[in-house]
Amino acid sequence: MKVMFADDDGDLRKVVERVMLEDGFEFCGAKDGLEVLDRIDAERPDVIILDISMPYMDGFETCLRLRERGVRTPIIFLSARSDIVDKSVGFRAGCDDYLTKPFSPLELSLRVEALIRRCASNTDAPVLSDAETAHAASAKRPQEIIRIGDLEIDLDGYEVKLKGQPVKLTSKEFEIVALLVSSPGKVFTREQILDHIWGESIGMDLRNITVLVRKIREKMEPVPSEPRYLLTVWRVGYKFASA
């Protein structure tokens, strides 16, 4: 059995490699999501562990890309971001488990083993088409779609529509929208949004959030200079309209 672990922290990759090798697994490491996508066919891991805050392509987008390519390998998110919104986005992106940092190496091993056992127990199950799998998944839980005015946010589908037309947001732009729309009317500071997107705000430029918000408005607001949905609370932060 092989485990692939993607994280831009080289020291952490060495720690996880040691743990996996001691438990009898083969191991392959990657620095970011792009490397995972490049190597997934050659390595063919049995479990994939993804950090969320990685350069070039974060864990959420990597997971989405893998699922879009038809990769069914179990995926565990390993992240310092413990907010329920982050976990919700992670599971909706297609992950199977979510472990927060700092973590116990023993717990990580147990979760990897549990996923492998779960997959092994399903080897005799009938193989479903993608359409059948999607239908079964949607039947198990209600689809979470939030509608405010002409805007429709599909949290399960990782999609935003304006008047029925898709709004092409990047993964980080969508994460901001998902965070704000999770509590309409609640004000989030730029520091809170940075923590949500990158796992920390210390030492990071708050203007990054200002730039992302401007880009979201250009794509999502009918009149970006007069926003109806993503609102600014002067000297505090941003909120999503409640109606």
Side-chain angles (χ1 to χ4, degrees):
M1 292 292 179
K2 180 184 291 186
V3 174
M4 173 179 275
F5 175 49
D7 196 304
D8 56 328
D9 185 336
D11 291 335
L12 185 56
R13 288 201 306 273
K14 291 179 182 178
V15 170
V16 173
E17 178 179 11
R18 185 178 68 250
V19 172
M20 294 297 108
L21 292 177
E22 288 176 352
D23 285 347
F25 296 108
E26 292 184 41
F27 180 87
C28 57
K31 299 185 295 296
D32 53 57
L34 291 176
E35 189 174 352
V36 172
L37 296 179
D38 287 341
R39 297 174 57 191
I40 188 70
D41 292 332
E43 296 290 351
R44 301 181 65 83
D46 298 281
V47 174
I48 302 169
I49 306 172
L50 297 176
D51 182 39
I52 291 177
S53 301
M54 295 185 290
Y56 309 116
M57 182 182 294
D58 65 21
F60 291 143
E61 187 168 353
T62 303
C63 184
L64 280 169
R65 295 280 187 90
L66 289 170
R67 295 313 188 210
E68 288 172 355
R69 285 170 54 170
V71 176
R72 305 300 182 194
T73 306
I75 293 175
I76 302 175
F77 276 131
L78 185 63
S79 174
R81 296 156 60 170
S82 59
D83 189 277
I84 186 61
V85 175
D86 295 307
K87 293 181 179 179
S88 297
V89 172
F91 281 107
R92 289 170 187 137
C95 83
D96 300 271
D97 203 352
Y98 194 112
L99 183 62
T100 56
K101 302 175 184 176
F103 64 95
S104 162
L106 175 59
E107 182 177 5
L108 178 61
S109 295
L110 292 173
R111 288 176 184 249
V112 169
E113 292 170 3
L115 283 177
I116 290 176
R117 285 197 305 271
R118 187 189 307 167
C119 290
S121 67
N122 290 333
T123 53
D124 295 329
V127 177
L128 302 179
S129 67
D130 288 345
E132 291 170 328
T133 301
H135 177 75
S138 63
K140 289 181 181 179
R141 52 170 171 73
Q143 190 176 25
E144 293 197 42
I145 297 179
I146 298 173
R147 294 180 177 87
I148 298 178
D150 295 327
L151 204 62
E152 182 179 291
I153 300 98
D154 183 353
L155 297 178
D156 284 337
Y158 223 73
E159 184 178 44
V160 175
K161 291 182 179 180
L162 178 64
K163 295 183 178 181
Q165 298 301 312
V167 178
K168 295 183 179 180
L169 300 179
T170 67
S171 60
K172 284 184 170 54
E173 290 167 357
F174 183 86
E175 288 174 45
I176 292 177
V177 172
L179 172 65
L180 299 182
V181 83
S182 67
S183 301
K186 176 182 176 180
V187 180
F188 290 84
T189 67
R190 290 174 178 81
E191 289 85 355
Q192 288 174 319
I193 298 173
L194 272 175
D195 284 338
H196 173 72
I197 300 298
W198 281 283
E200 60 179 351
S201 60
I202 298 175
M204 301 196 71
D205 194 338
L206 295 178
R207 289 175 294 182
N208 290 337
I209 298 303
T210 304
V211 172
L212 285 172
V213 167
R214 186 183 71 246
K215 291 181 178 179
I216 293 170
R217 284 174 172 163
E218 290 172 351
K219 299 175 181 180
M220 194 176 72
E221 296 282 358
V223 182
S225 61
E226 300 176 6
R228 295 171 52 192
Y229 303 110
L230 206 169
L231 308 177
T232 299
V233 179
W234 186 248
R235 297 184 183 274
V236 182
Y238 301 98
K239 68 177 181 179
F240 215 88
S242 56

Coordinates of all heavy atoms in Angstrom, one line a residue, residues 15-86:
V15 N 8.4 13.9 8.5 CA 7.8 13.3 9.7 C 6.7 12.3 9.2 O 6.7 11.2 9.7 CB 7.1 14.4 10.5 CG1 6.2 13.8 11.6 CG2 8.2 15.3 11.2
V16 N 5.9 12.7 8.3 CA 4.8 11.8 7.8 C 5.4 10.6 7.1 O 5.0 9.5 7.2 CB 3.8 12.6 6.9 CG1 2.8 11.6 6.3 CG2 3.1 13.7 7.7
E17 N 6.5 10.9 6.3 CA 7.2 9.7 5.6 C 7.7 8.7 6.6 O 7.5 7.5 6.5 CB 8.3 10.3 4.8 CG 9.1 9.2 4.1 CD 10.2 9.7 3.2 OE1 10.6 10.9 3.4 OE2 10.8 8.9 2.4
R18 N 8.3 9.2 7.7 CA 8.8 8.3 8.7 C 7.7 7.4 9.3 O 7.8 6.2 9.5 CB 9.6 9.0 9.8 CG 10.2 8.1 10.8 CD 11.0 8.9 11.9 NE 10.1 9.6 12.8 CZ 10.0 11.0 12.8 NH1 10.8 11.7 11.9 NH2 9.2 11.6 13.6
V19 N 6.6 8.1 9.7 CA 5.4 7.5 10.3 C 4.9 6.4 9.3 O 4.6 5.3 9.7 CB 4.3 8.5 10.7 CG1 3.1 7.8 11.1 CG2 4.8 9.4 11.8
M20 N 4.7 6.7 8.1 CA 4.1 5.8 7.1 C 5.0 4.6 6.9 O 4.6 3.5 6.8 CB 3.8 6.5 5.8 CG 2.7 7.6 5.9 SD 1.1 6.9 6.4 CE 1.0 7.5 8.0
L21 N 6.3 4.9 6.7 CA 7.3 3.8 6.5 C 7.3 2.8 7.7 O 7.4 1.6 7.6 CB 8.7 4.3 6.2 CG 8.9 5.1 4.9 CD1 10.3 5.6 4.8 CD2 8.5 4.2 3.7
E22 N 7.3 3.4 8.9 CA 7.3 2.6 10.1 C 6.0 1.7 10.2 O 6.1 0.6 10.8 CB 7.3 3.4 11.4 CG 8.7 4.1 11.6 CD 8.7 5.0 12.8 OE1 7.6 5.3 13.4 OE2 9.8 5.5 13.2
D23 N 4.9 2.1 9.6 CA 3.7 1.3 9.6 C 3.6 0.4 8.4 O 2.6 -0.3 8.2 CB 2.5 2.3 9.6 CG 2.2 2.9 10.9 OD1 2.8 2.5 11.9 OD2 1.5 3.9 11.0
G24 N 4.7 0.4 7.6 CA 4.8 -0.6 6.5 C 4.2 -0.1 5.2 O 4.0 -0.9 4.2
F25 N 3.9 1.2 5.1 CA 3.4 1.7 3.8 C 4.6 2.2 2.9 O 5.6 2.6 3.4 CB 2.5 2.9 4.0 CG 1.2 2.6 4.8 CD1 1.1 2.9 6.1 CD2 0.2 1.8 4.2 CE1 -0.1 2.6 6.8 CE2 -0.9 1.5 4.8 CZ -1.1 1.9 6.2
E26 N 4.4 2.2 1.6 CA 5.3 2.9 0.7 C 4.9 4.4 0.8 O 3.8 4.7 1.2 CB 5.1 2.4 -0.7 CG 5.7 1.0 -0.9 CD 5.6 0.6 -2.4 OE1 5.9 1.5 -3.2 OE2 5.2 -0.5 -2.7
F27 N 5.8 5.3 0.4 CA 5.5 6.7 0.6 C 6.0 7.5 -0.6 O 7.1 7.2 -1.1 CB 6.2 7.3 1.9 CG 6.0 8.7 2.1 CD1 4.8 9.2 2.8 CD2 6.9 9.7 1.6 CE1 4.6 10.5 3.0 CE2 6.7 11.0 1.8 CZ 5.5 11.5 2.5
C28 N 5.2 8.5 -1.0 CA 5.7 9.4 -2.0 C 5.3 10.8 -1.6 O 4.1 11.0 -1.1 CB 5.3 9.1 -3.4 SG 3.5 9.0 -3.6
G29 N 6.2 11.8 -1.7 CA 5.8 13.2 -1.2 C 5.7 14.1 -2.4 O 6.3 13.9 -3.4
A30 N 5.0 15.2 -2.2 CA 4.8 16.2 -3.2 C 4.8 17.6 -2.5 O 4.4 17.7 -1.4 CB 3.5 16.0 -4.0
K31 N 5.3 18.6 -3.2 CA 5.4 19.9 -2.6 C 4.1 20.8 -2.8 O 3.9 21.7 -2.0 CB 6.6 20.7 -3.3 CG 7.9 20.1 -3.1 CD 9.0 20.9 -3.7 CE 8.9 21.1 -5.2 NZ 9.1 19.8 -5.9
D32 N 3.3 20.4 -3.7 CA 2.1 21.2 -4.0 C 1.1 20.4 -4.8 O 1.4 19.2 -5.2 CB 2.4 22.5 -4.7 CG 3.2 22.3 -5.9 OD1 2.7 21.6 -6.8 OD2 4.3 22.9 -6.0
G33 N -0.1 21.0 -5.0 CA -1.1 20.3 -5.7 C -0.8 20.0 -7.2 O -1.2 18.9 -7.7
L34 N 0.0 20.9 -7.8 CA 0.4 20.6 -9.2 C 1.2 19.4 -9.4 O 1.0 18.6 -10.3 CB 1.1 21.8 -9.8 CG 0.3 23.1 -10.0 CD1 1.2 24.3 -10.4 CD2 -0.8 22.9 -11.0
E35 N 2.1 19.2 -8.4 CA 2.9 18.0 -8.4 C 2.1 16.7 -8.2 O 2.4 15.7 -8.8 CB 4.0 18.1 -7.4 CG 5.1 17.0 -7.5 CD 6.3 17.1 -6.5 OE1 6.4 18.2 -5.9 OE2 7.1 16.2 -6.5
V36 N 1.1 16.8 -7.4 CA 0.2 15.7 -7.2 C -0.5 15.3 -8.5 O -0.5 14.1 -8.9 CB -0.9 16.0 -6.1 CG1 -2.0 14.9 -6.1 CG2 -0.3 16.2 -4.7
L37 N -1.0 16.3 -9.2 CA -1.7 16.0 -10.5 C -0.7 15.4 -11.5 O -1.1 14.6 -12.3 CB -2.3 17.3 -11.0 CG -3.5 17.9 -10.1 CD1 -4.0 19.1 -10.8 CD2 -4.6 16.9 -9.9
D38 N 0.5 15.9 -11.5 CA 1.5 15.4 -12.4 C 1.9 14.0 -12.2 O 2.2 13.2 -13.1 CB 2.8 16.3 -12.4 CG 2.5 17.7 -13.0 OD1 1.6 17.8 -13.8 OD2 3.3 18.6 -12.7
R39 N 1.9 13.6 -10.9 CA 2.5 12.3 -10.5 C 1.4 11.2 -10.2 O 1.8 10.0 -10.0 CB 3.4 12.4 -9.3 CG 4.6 13.3 -9.7 CD 5.5 13.6 -8.4 NE 5.9 12.3 -7.8 CZ 6.5 12.3 -6.6 NH1 6.6 13.4 -5.9 NH2 6.9 11.1 -6.1
I40 N 0.2 11.6 -10.1 CA -0.9 10.7 -9.6 C -1.0 9.4 -10.4 O -1.1 8.3 -9.9 CB -2.2 11.4 -9.5 CG1 -3.3 10.5 -8.8 CG2 -2.7 11.8 -10.9 CD1 -3.0 10.3 -7.3
D41 N -0.9 9.5 -11.8 CA -1.0 8.3 -12.6 C 0.2 7.4 -12.5 O 0.1 6.2 -12.5 CB -1.2 8.7 -14.1 CG -2.5 9.4 -14.3 OD1 -3.5 9.1 -13.6 OD2 -2.6 10.3 -15.2
A42 N 1.4 8.0 -12.3 CA 2.6 7.1 -12.2 C 2.7 6.5 -10.8 O 3.1 5.3 -10.7 CB 3.8 8.0 -12.5
E43 N 2.4 7.2 -9.8 CA 2.5 6.7 -8.4 C 1.4 5.8 -8.0 O 1.6 4.8 -7.2 CB 2.6 7.9 -7.4 CG 3.8 8.8 -7.6 CD 5.1 8.1 -7.2 OE1 5.1 7.0 -6.6 OE2 6.1 8.7 -7.5
R44 N 0.2 6.1 -8.4 CA -1.0 5.3 -8.1 C -1.1 5.0 -6.6 O -1.1 3.8 -6.2 CB -1.0 4.0 -8.9 CG -1.0 4.2 -10.4 CD -1.1 2.9 -11.2 NE -2.3 2.1 -10.9 CZ -3.5 2.4 -11.6 NH1 -3.5 3.3 -12.5 NH2 -4.5 1.7 -11.3
P45 N -1.2 6.0 -5.8 CA -1.3 5.8 -4.3 C -2.6 5.2 -3.9 O -3.6 5.3 -4.6 CB -1.1 7.2 -3.7 CG -1.7 8.1 -4.8 CD -1.3 7.4 -6.1
D46 N -2.6 4.5 -2.7 CA -3.9 4.0 -2.2 C -4.6 5.0 -1.3 O -5.8 4.8 -1.1 CB -3.5 2.7 -1.4 CG -2.9 1.6 -2.3 OD1 -3.7 1.0 -3.0 OD2 -1.7 1.5 -2.3
V47 N -3.8 5.9 -0.7 CA -4.4 7.0 0.1 C -3.6 8.3 -0.3 O -2.4 8.3 -0.4 CB -4.3 6.7 1.6 CG1 -4.8 8.0 2.4 CG2 -5.2 5.5 2.0
I48 N -4.4 9.4 -0.4 CA -3.7 10.7 -0.6 C -4.0 11.6 0.6 O -5.1 11.8 1.0 CB -4.3 11.4 -1.9 CG1 -4.1 10.5 -3.1 CG2 -3.6 12.8 -2.1 CD1 -4.8 11.0 -4.3
I49 N -2.9 12.2 1.1 CA -3.1 13.2 2.2 C -2.7 14.6 1.7 O -1.6 14.7 1.1 CB -2.2 12.8 3.4 CG1 -2.4 11.4 3.9 CG2 -2.4 13.8 4.6 CD1 -1.4 10.9 4.9
L50 N -3.6 15.5 1.8 CA -3.4 16.9 1.3 C -3.4 17.9 2.3 O -4.3 18.0 3.1 CB -4.4 17.2 0.2 CG -4.6 16.3 -1.0 CD1 -5.8 16.8 -1.9 CD2 -3.3 16.4 -1.9
D51 N -2.3 18.8 2.3 CA -2.4 20.0 3.1 C -3.3 21.0 2.3 O -3.5 20.8 1.1 CB -1.0 20.6 3.3 CG -1.1 21.9 4.1 OD1 -1.8 22.0 5.1 OD2 -0.3 22.9 3.7
I52 N -4.0 21.9 3.0 CA -4.9 22.9 2.3 C -4.1 24.1 1.8 O -4.2 24.4 0.6 CB -6.0 23.3 3.2 CG1 -6.9 22.1 3.5 CG2 -6.8 24.5 2.6 CD1 -8.1 22.4 4.4
S53 N -3.3 24.7 2.6 CA -2.6 25.9 2.3 C -1.3 25.6 1.6 O -0.2 25.6 2.2 CB -2.4 26.8 3.5 OG -3.6 27.1 4.1
M54 N -1.3 25.4 0.3 CA -0.1 25.1 -0.5 C 0.0 26.2 -1.6 O -1.0 26.7 -2.1 CB -0.2 23.7 -1.1 CG -0.2 22.6 -0.1 SD -0.1 21.0 -0.9 CE -1.7 20.9 -1.7
P55 N 1.2 26.5 -2.1 CA 1.4 27.4 -3.2 C 0.9 26.8 -4.5 O 0.8 25.6 -4.6 CB 2.9 27.7 -3.2 CG 3.5 26.4 -2.6 CD 2.5 26.0 -1.6
Y56 N 0.7 27.6 -5.5 CA 0.3 27.3 -6.9 C -1.1 26.7 -7.0 O -1.9 27.1 -7.8 CB 1.3 26.3 -7.5 CG 2.8 26.8 -7.4 CD1 3.7 26.1 -6.6 CD2 3.1 28.0 -8.0 CE1 5.0 26.6 -6.5 CE2 4.4 28.5 -7.8 CZ 5.3 27.8 -7.1 OH 6.6 28.3 -7.0
M57 N -1.4 25.6 -6.2 CA -2.7 25.0 -6.1 C -3.0 24.5 -4.8 O -2.2 23.6 -4.3 CB -2.8 23.9 -7.2 CG -4.2 23.3 -7.3 SD -4.3 21.9 -8.5 CE -4.0 22.8 -10.0
D58 N -4.0 25.0 -4.1 CA -4.3 24.6 -2.7 C -4.9 23.2 -2.7 O -5.3 22.6 -3.7 CB -5.1 25.6 -2.0 CG -6.5 25.8 -2.5 OD1 -7.0 24.9 -3.2 OD2 -7.1 26.8 -2.2
G59 N -5.1 22.7 -1.5 CA -5.7 21.3 -1.3 C -7.1 21.2 -1.8 O -7.5 20.2 -2.4
F60 N -7.9 22.2 -1.6 CA -9.3 22.2 -2.1 C -9.4 22.0 -3.6 O -10.1 21.1 -4.1 CB -10.1 23.4 -1.7 CG -10.3 23.6 -0.2 CD1 -10.3 24.8 0.4 CD2 -10.6 22.5 0.6 CE1 -10.5 25.0 1.7 CE2 -10.8 22.6 1.9 CZ -10.8 23.9 2.5
E61 N -8.6 22.8 -4.3 CA -8.7 22.7 -5.8 C -8.0 21.5 -6.3 O -8.5 20.9 -7.2 CB -8.0 23.9 -6.4 CG -8.1 24.0 -7.9 CD -7.7 25.4 -8.5 OE1 -7.4 26.3 -7.7 OE2 -7.7 25.5 -9.7
T62 N -7.0 21.0 -5.6 CA -6.3 19.7 -6.0 C -7.3 18.6 -5.8 O -7.4 17.7 -6.7 CB -5.1 19.5 -5.1 OG1 -4.2 20.5 -5.2 CG2 -4.4 18.2 -5.5
C63 N -8.1 18.6 -4.7 CA -9.1 17.5 -4.5 C -10.1 17.6 -5.6 O -10.5 16.5 -6.2 CB -9.7 17.7 -3.1 SG -10.9 16.4 -2.7
L64 N -10.6 18.8 -5.9 CA -11.6 18.9 -7.0 C -11.1 18.4 -8.3 O -11.8 17.7 -9.0 CB -12.0 20.4 -7.1 CG -13.0 20.9 -6.1 CD1 -13.1 22.4 -6.2 CD2 -14.4 20.3 -6.3
R65 N -9.9 18.8 -8.6 CA -9.3 18.4 -9.9 C -9.2 16.8 -10.0 O -9.4 16.2 -11.0 CB -7.9 19.0 -10.1 CG -7.9 20.5 -10.2 CD -8.3 21.0 -11.6 NE -8.2 22.4 -11.8 CZ -7.1 23.0 -12.2 NH1 -6.0 22.3 -12.5 NH2 -7.0 24.4 -12.3
L66 N -8.8 16.2 -8.9 CA -8.6 14.8 -8.9 C -10.0 14.1 -9.1 O -10.1 13.1 -9.9 CB -8.0 14.3 -7.5 CG -6.5 14.6 -7.3 CD1 -6.1 14.4 -5.9 CD2 -5.6 13.8 -8.3
R67 N -11.0 14.6 -8.4 CA -12.3 14.0 -8.5 C -12.9 14.2 -10.0 O -13.5 13.3 -10.5 CB -13.3 14.6 -7.5 CG -12.9 14.3 -6.0 CD -12.6 12.8 -5.8 NE -12.5 12.5 -4.4 CZ -11.7 11.5 -4.0 NH1 -10.9 10.8 -4.8 NH2 -11.6 11.2 -2.7
E68 N -12.6 15.4 -10.5 CA -13.0 15.6 -11.9 C -12.4 14.7 -12.9 O -12.9 14.3 -13.9 CB -12.7 17.1 -12.3 CG -13.6 18.1 -11.6 CD -13.1 19.5 -11.8 OE1 -12.1 19.7 -12.5 OE2 -13.8 20.5 -11.4
R69 N -11.1 14.3 -12.6 CA -10.4 13.3 -13.4 C -10.8 11.9 -13.2 O -10.3 10.9 -13.8 CB -8.9 13.5 -13.2 CG -8.3 14.7 -13.9 CD -6.9 15.0 -13.5 NE -6.0 13.9 -13.7 CZ -4.7 14.0 -13.6 NH1 -4.1 15.2 -13.3 NH2 -3.9 12.9 -13.8
G70 N -11.7 11.7 -12.3 CA -12.2 10.3 -12.0 C -11.4 9.6 -11.0 O -11.6 8.3 -10.8
V71 N -10.5 10.2 -10.3 CA -9.7 9.6 -9.2 C -10.5 9.3 -8.0 O -11.1 10.2 -7.4 CB -8.4 10.4 -8.9 CG1 -7.7 9.8 -7.7 CG2 -7.6 10.6 -10.1
R72 N -10.7 8.0 -7.6 CA -11.5 7.7 -6.5 C -10.7 7.3 -5.2 O -11.3 6.9 -4.2 CB -12.3 6.4 -6.8 CG -13.2 6.6 -8.1 CD -14.2 7.7 -8.0 NE -15.0 7.8 -9.1 CZ -15.8 8.9 -9.4 NH1 -15.8 9.9 -8.6 NH2 -16.5 8.9 -10.5
T73 N -9.4 7.5 -5.3 CA -8.5 7.3 -4.2 C -9.0 8.1 -2.9 O -9.3 9.2 -3.1 CB -7.1 7.6 -4.5 OG1 -6.7 7.0 -5.7 CG2 -6.1 7.3 -3.4
P74 N -9.0 7.4 -1.8 CA -9.4 8.2 -0.5 C -8.5 9.3 -0.3 O -7.3 9.2 -0.5 CB -9.3 7.1 0.6 CG -9.4 5.8 -0.1 CD -8.8 6.0 -1.5
I75 N -9.0 10.5 0.1 CA -8.3 11.7 0.4 C -8.5 12.2 1.8 O -9.7 12.3 2.2 CB -8.7 12.8 -0.6 CG1 -8.2 12.4 -2.1 CG2 -8.0 14.1 -0.3 CD1 -8.7 13.4 -3.1
I76 N -7.4 12.5 2.5 CA -7.5 13.0 3.8 C -6.9 14.5 3.8 O -5.8 14.7 3.2 CB -6.7 12.2 4.9 CG1 -7.1 10.8 4.9 CG2 -6.7 12.9 6.2 CD1 -6.3 9.9 5.8
F77 N -7.6 15.4 4.3 CA -7.1 16.8 4.4 C -6.4 16.9 5.8 O -6.9 16.5 6.8 CB -8.2 17.8 4.3 CG -8.5 18.2 3.0 CD1 -9.9 18.3 2.6 CD2 -7.6 18.6 2.0 CE1 -10.2 18.6 1.3 CE2 -7.9 18.9 0.7 CZ -9.3 18.9 0.4
L78 N -5.2 17.4 5.8 CA -4.4 17.6 7.0 C -4.1 19.1 7.0 O -3.3 19.6 6.2 CB -3.1 16.8 6.9 CG -2.2 16.8 8.2 CD1 -2.9 16.2 9.4 CD2 -0.9 16.0 7.9
S79 N -4.7 19.8 8.0 CA -4.6 21.3 7.9 C -4.7 21.9 9.3 O -5.3 21.3 10.2 CB -5.7 21.8 7.0 OG -5.8 23.2 7.1
A80 N -4.1 23.1 9.4 CA -4.3 23.9 10.7 C -5.6 24.6 10.8 O -6.0 25.1 11.8 CB -3.1 24.9 10.8
R81 N -6.3 24.5 9.7 CA -7.6 25.2 9.6 C -8.7 24.3 10.1 O -9.1 23.3 9.5 CB -7.9 25.7 8.2 CG -6.9 26.7 7.7 CD -6.7 26.8 6.2 NE -7.9 27.1 5.5 CZ -7.9 27.5 4.3 NH1 -6.8 27.5 3.6 NH2 -9.1 27.8 3.7
S82 N -9.2 24.6 11.3 CA -10.2 23.7 12.0 C -11.6 24.2 11.9 O -12.5 23.6 12.5 CB -9.8 23.5 13.5 OG -9.7 24.8 14.1
D83 N -11.8 25.4 11.3 CA -13.2 26.0 11.2 C -14.1 25.0 10.5 O -13.8 24.4 9.6 CB -13.1 27.3 10.5 CG -14.4 28.1 10.6 OD1 -15.3 27.8 9.8 OD2 -14.5 28.9 11.5
I84 N -15.4 25.0 11.0 CA -16.4 24.1 10.4 C -16.6 24.4 8.9 O -16.9 23.6 8.1 CB -17.7 24.1 11.2 CG1 -18.7 23.1 10.6 CG2 -18.3 25.5 11.1 CD1 -18.2 21.7 10.8
V85 N -16.5 25.7 8.5 CA -16.6 26.1 7.1 C -15.5 25.4 6.3 O -15.8 24.9 5.2 CB -16.6 27.6 7.0 CG1 -16.6 28.0 5.5 CG2 -17.8 28.3 7.7
D86 N -14.3 25.4 6.8 CA -13.2 24.8 6.1 C -13.5 23.3 5.9 O -13.3 22.8 4.8 CB -11.9 25.0 6.8 CG -11.5 26.4 6.9 OD1 -11.4 27.1 5.8 OD2 -11.2 26.9 8.0

